[in-house]
């Protein structure tokens, strides 16, 4: 059986134990009665552990490969039925959080300090061991992120431009007083920001204009897709039962040409859609460029192709300020601030980050932006929107708790310590970010060209002041210098095995957190221009922006307290937590 399955299953999916029954127990409906299936006995489980070792061909491994294999087996939750030098960490059952544990265990047991990205670049036992051998032979005590070769994302983007259509039809501006129907295609509609974008659009329908959302959803059918939208909207507090009448679910694979849809469905989309909001993306702190290329670059080209056919359309792309995370822009920001200017201009061509971006996510967004700007030179109209940190709903704090900034808050409560880091944080409430996205999609800031709109916080807050808000609301936290805090966190997680919200992001916070969270100051004139134009649609002017005041952070903490993400404060407070619904 195992020989048969090896040809069809990944290593981690191979059964470690086979229990033979004459027949499976059935329930009254004729289905397998799973609760009655036999669970392996302790003796059987012990036999499995012994068999795993006995099925490994030791002659296949050299000394370093054996060290890597044993290290991986020590952190994997389920021991695979067999292991070879060509098995990858992820095929054996590993994932990014376990990869963090593995890298730090490697540091302690073998005295080898590798960047976390190494496991994604060299995922097999053979390749990973080869990198360790290279370091040992070169005499390096510690490596840096540069040890993992950086893919030339800019060259890839320039090559992909060759696949673009020769021209795109240019859409004319909407007239709010006369436009009766606007059909908007939205990707990433079931995500946190996506839910607010959908709600922002559908809450606009009035006596003059009706908005119809064509929501791309990954699901087995349209009914299941709508259920996913409803579930997401309910979770984030944006859903209104009236929305269902103005939503059409679009299935398909964005990484495929024409989404893999039948010709007739693709034709209908190209001739019905007025506005495209491409918000969908794979977001990951560690994945390299090539692992994110299909989801974030190729998919962008395929979505943009929707604007190349049929009726003219506006194209709105939700990018990220991660495209600016290089020393060039940090230094330029400091220079502009010293001169009394607002920050990096929206008109900058991003040549300053064509090299030097370290993360695959930022690289993939840079490549997508480059390609979109070239399409803009061929007639495409619209906006590239660059948010920073997207935080909770400004009114009640509803948020996605799997968020770096919120993990920092929880970690502070768990440790009782916060790092003394004076960088400003570009954190903006999700409803304001959605407002900028929708405003720029309906009212591009530039008349005859594709433009960029920065989303920047008004006001910004220092990272340490953001975290020290915990103290103001009654949490017992103290500020430590970064070096001391780093040791405190590492000791709590690695040595004492304590639970901490920053565990999945250890590679980032223990490497160079002050450097990793630097955020250049940004000019946002285009965003303001679109927000002012949009007042005719939305009925109110949000061009003043939003950011992180002590009161706003208090709303976030109150929400996190309400849902149990943070415990109730036990210390003395100088500010009362607001009451939220």
């Amino acid at each position: 059986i195992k020989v048969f399955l090896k040809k069809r299953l990944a290593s981690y999916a191979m059964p470690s134990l086979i229990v033979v029954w004459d027949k499976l127990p059935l329930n009254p409906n004729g289905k397998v009665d799973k609760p009655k299936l036999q669970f392996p006995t302790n003796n059987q489980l012990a036999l499995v552990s012994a068999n795993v070792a006995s099925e490994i061909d030791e002659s296949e491994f050299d000394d370093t490969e054996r060290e890597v294999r044993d290290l991986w087996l020590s952190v994997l939750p389920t021991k695979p039925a067999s292991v070879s030098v060509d098995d990858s960490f992820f095929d054996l059952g590993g994932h990014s959080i376990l990869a963090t544990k593995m890298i730090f265990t490697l540091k302690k047991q073998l005295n080898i300090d590798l960047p976390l990205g190494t496991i994604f670049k060299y995922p097999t036992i053979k390749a990973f061991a080869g990198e360790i051998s290279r370091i040992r032979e070169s005499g390096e005590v510690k490596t840096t992120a540069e040890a993992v070769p950086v893919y030339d994302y800019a060259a890839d983007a320039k090559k992909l431009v060759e696949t673009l259509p020769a021209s795109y039809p240019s859409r004319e501006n909407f007239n709010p007083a006369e436009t009766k129907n606007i059909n908007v295609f939205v990707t990433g509609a079931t995500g946190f920001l996506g839910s607010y974008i959908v709600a922002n659009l559908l809450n606009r329908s009035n006596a003059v204009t009706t908005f119809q959302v064509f929501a791309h959803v990954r699901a087995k059918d349209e009914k299941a897709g709508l259920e996913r939208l409803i579930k997401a909207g309910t979770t984030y507090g944006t859903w209104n039962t009236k929305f269902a009448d103005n939503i059409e679910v679009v299935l398909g694979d964005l990484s495929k040409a024409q989404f893999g849809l039948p010709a007739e469905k693709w034709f209908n989309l190209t001739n019905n859609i007025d506005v495209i909001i491409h918000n969908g993306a794979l977001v990951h702190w560690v994945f390299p460029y090539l692992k994110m290329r299909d989801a974030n670059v190729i998919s962008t080209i395929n979505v943009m192709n929707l604007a190349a056919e049929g009726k003219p359309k506006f194209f709105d792309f939700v990018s990220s300020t991660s495209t600016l995370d290089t020393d060039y822009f940090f230094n330029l920001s400091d220079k502009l601030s010293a001169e009394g200017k607002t920050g990096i201009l929206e008109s900058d061509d991003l040549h300053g980050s064509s090299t030097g971006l370290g993360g695959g996510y930022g690289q993939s967004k840079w490549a997508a932006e480059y390609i979109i700007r070239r399409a803009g030179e061929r007639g495409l109209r619209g906006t590239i929107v660059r948010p920073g940190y997207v935080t909770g709903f400004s009114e009640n704090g509803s948020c996605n708790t799997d968020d770096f900034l919120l993990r920092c808050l929880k970690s502070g409560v768990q440790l009782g310590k916060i790092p003394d880091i004076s960088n400003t944080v570009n954190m903006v409430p999700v409803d304001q970010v959605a407002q900028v996205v929708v405003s720029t999609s309906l009212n591009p800031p530039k008349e005859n060209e594709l433009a960029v709109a920065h989303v920047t916080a008004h006001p910004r807050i220092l990272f340490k002041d953001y975290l020290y808000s915990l103290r103001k609301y009654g949490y017992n936290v103290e500020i430590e210098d970064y070096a001391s805090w780093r040791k405190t966190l590492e000791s709590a997680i690695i040595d004492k095995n304590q639970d901490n919200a920053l565990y999945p992001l250890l590679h980032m916070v223990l490497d160079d957190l002050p450097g990793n969270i630097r955020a250049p100051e940004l000019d946002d004139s285009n965003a303001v221009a679109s927000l002012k134009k949009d007042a005719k649609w939305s009925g109110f002017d949000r061009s003043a922006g939003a950011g992180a005041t002590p009161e706003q952070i208090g709303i976030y903490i109150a929400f996190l307290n309400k849902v149990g993400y943070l415990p109730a404060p036990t210390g003395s407070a100088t500010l009362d937590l607001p009451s939220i619904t």
Side-chain angles (χ1 to χ4, degrees):
I1 292 174
K2 289 184 178 180
V3 170
F4 173 81
L5 292 176
K6 277 184 178 180
K7 300 175 182 178
R8 293 162 173 79
L9 298 178
S11 298
Y12 71 88
M14 287 289 295
S16 300
L17 175 65
I18 295 174
V19 178
V20 180
W21 281 32
D22 291 333
K23 60 180 180 180
L24 294 175
L26 303 178
N27 62 27
N29 295 323
K31 298 182 178 180
V32 175
D33 194 344
K34 293 181 181 179
K36 290 184 180 179
L37 291 175
Q38 175 186 335
F39 191 80
T41 65
N42 289 335
N43 288 337
Q44 287 173 322
L45 292 174
L47 184 62
V48 168
S49 297
N51 284 341
V52 169
S54 66
E55 290 186 18
I56 295 176
D57 182 0
E58 291 292 343
S59 65
E60 185 183 359
F61 300 84
D62 64 25
D63 290 343
T64 306
E65 290 166 351
R66 194 173 295 111
E67 286 180 314
V68 171
R69 178 200 68 198
D70 293 343
L71 172 67
W72 289 9
L73 291 177
S74 72
V75 301
L76 292 172
T78 303
K79 302 299 182 287
S82 63
V83 183
S84 76
V85 292
D86 294 318
D87 283 332
S88 94
F89 181 76
F90 304 100
D91 285 342
L92 291 172
H95 47 72
S96 57
I97 295 178
L98 283 176
T100 299
K101 182 177 181 180
M102 185 272 292
I103 290 292
F104 279 92
T105 305
L106 174 76
K107 177 181 177 181
K108 294 184 74 68
Q109 291 186 2
L110 304 183
N111 196 30
I112 299 291
D113 194 357
L114 291 175
L116 182 55
T118 307
I119 188 59
F120 296 95
K121 186 68 178 179
Y122 307 106
T124 67
I125 291 176
K126 188 176 186 67
F128 194 79
E131 181 64 5
I132 290 177
S133 296
R134 184 193 68 79
I135 293 168
R136 284 172 168 167
E137 292 169 4
S138 66
E140 295 179 43
V141 177
K142 180 178 180 180
T143 65
T144 62
E146 285 72 26
V148 180
V150 176
Y151 191 83
D152 193 343
Y153 53 92
D156 186 50
K158 292 174 183 177
K159 187 174 181 179
L160 288 171
V161 168
E162 299 172 7
T163 68
L164 297 181
S167 64
Y168 294 80
S170 298
R171 165 156 206 109
E172 295 182 357
N173 290 340
F174 293 112
N175 184 335
E178 299 177 359
T179 305
K180 294 184 178 180
N181 298 291
I182 297 180
N183 296 327
V184 186
F185 179 76
V186 181
T187 67
T190 58
F192 179 47
L193 176 58
S195 293
Y196 279 86
I197 290 172
V198 169
N200 189 297
L201 286 165
L202 296 182
N203 282 327
R204 288 167 176 260
S205 294
N206 52 49
V208 177
T209 308
T210 299
F211 287 86
Q212 184 81 12
V213 170
F214 289 70
H216 174 264
V217 183
R218 294 190 302 273
K220 63 180 181 180
D221 53 38
E222 285 81 359
K223 180 181 178 182
L226 181 60
E227 289 173 353
R228 283 197 64 199
L229 285 167
I230 294 173
K231 182 179 180 180
T234 302
T235 299
Y236 298 126
T238 61
W239 185 252
N240 186 319
T241 54
K242 296 179 181 179
F243 289 172
D245 294 335
N246 294 94
I247 290 178
E248 182 171 327
V249 172
V250 178
L251 306 177
D253 186 344
L254 299 184
S255 66
K256 295 181 179 178
Q258 298 185 0
F259 311 158
L261 295 175
E264 182 180 356
K265 286 192 174 182
W266 177 257
F267 177 82
N268 289 337
L269 276 180
T270 61
N271 286 281
N272 283 324
I273 300 302
D274 300 294
V275 176
I276 299 169
I277 298 178
H278 183 30
N279 170 64
L282 172 61
V283 181
H284 199 279
W285 289 98
V286 181
F287 282 171
Y289 175 79
L290 288 178
K291 198 170 181 65
M292 311 187 85
R293 183 176 183 265
D294 281 356
N296 294 354
V297 184
I298 303 302
S299 292
T300 297
I301 295 173
N302 292 336
V303 174
M304 203 161 54
N305 284 340
L306 192 62
E309 301 181 35
K311 65 160 63 173
K313 305 169 185 68
F314 286 146
F315 182 80
D316 212 70
F317 176 66
V318 181
S319 185
S320 168
T321 55
S322 295
T323 57
L324 302 169
D325 288 345
T326 63
D327 288 339
Y328 172 85
F329 283 113
F330 296 144
N331 295 335
L332 178 58
S333 172
D334 293 342
K335 177 178 179 293
L336 293 172
S337 296
E339 294 173 354
K341 298 176 181 177
T342 53
I344 307 299
L345 295 177
E346 293 159 309
S347 58
D348 193 286
D349 64 4
L350 288 199
H351 180 72
S353 53
S354 59
T355 60
L357 289 173
Y361 176 70
Q363 293 169 1
S364 67
K365 286 294 188 181
W366 189 99
E369 282 201 30
Y370 180 89
I371 295 166
I372 294 167
R373 284 197 294 274
R374 302 294 79 77
E377 295 166 358
R378 304 181 186 194
L380 183 69
R381 287 200 58 204
T383 313
I384 295 170
V385 181
R386 287 192 200 126
Y389 289 113
V390 181
T391 56
F393 182 34
S394 61
E395 294 183 15
N396 65 13
S398 175
C399 59
N400 176 10
T401 54
D402 185 18
D403 171 85
F404 168 69
L405 290 178
L406 299 187
R407 285 181 178 275
C408 288
L409 280 180
K410 186 169 184 176
S411 174
V413 174
Q414 291 170 320
L415 275 184
K417 307 284 186 181
I418 60 173
D420 186 2
I421 299 176
S422 296
N423 297 347
T424 62
V425 184
N426 183 18
M427 51 189 298
V428 180
V430 63
D431 46 311
Q432 177 68 16
V433 178
Q435 182 72 21
V436 174
V437 171
V438 176
S439 296
T440 53
S441 73
L442 299 175
N443 315 273
K446 299 295 184 182
E447 289 293 328
N448 299 306
E449 61 184 270
L450 188 136
V452 171
H454 284 148
V455 184
T456 190
H458 297 283
R460 286 199 182 189
I461 191 171
L462 297 183
F463 187 68
K464 65 178 180 180
D465 291 342
Y466 160 67
L467 295 179
Y468 202 66
S469 298
L470 288 166
R471 183 66 175 260
K472 296 178 181 179
Y473 287 101
Y475 290 90
N476 296 314
V477 296
E478 298 177 0
I479 297 179
E480 270 191 338
D481 65 89
Y482 173 66
S484 299
W485 174 85
R486 185 183 185 278
K487 292 178 181 177
T488 302
L489 179 65
E490 183 174 3
S491 175
I493 296 177
I494 305 300
D495 299 329
K496 301 176 184 177
N497 203 29
Q498 294 178 356
D499 183 37
N500 192 277
L502 285 177
Y503 173 42
L505 301 174
L506 275 183
H507 59 284
M508 185 181 82
V509 298
L510 296 186
D511 178 27
D512 178 19
L513 183 58
N516 287 332
I517 62 171
R518 290 182 71 183
E521 299 295 325
L522 305 173
D523 179 81
D524 62 347
S525 300
N526 286 343
V528 170
S530 287
L531 287 166
K532 286 185 175 296
K533 292 180 184 179
D534 190 59
K536 298 177 181 178
W537 294 87
S538 61
F540 51 90
D541 187 344
R542 297 190 65 162
S543 60
T549 62
E551 293 75 20
Q552 185 64 67
I553 296 171
I555 292 174
Y556 296 154
I557 294 175
F559 174 81
L560 298 174
N561 184 268
K562 180 179 179 180
V563 299
Y565 185 77
L566 291 180
T570 58
S572 58
T574 58
L575 294 174
D576 294 327
L577 283 174
S579 176
I580 60 173
T581 56

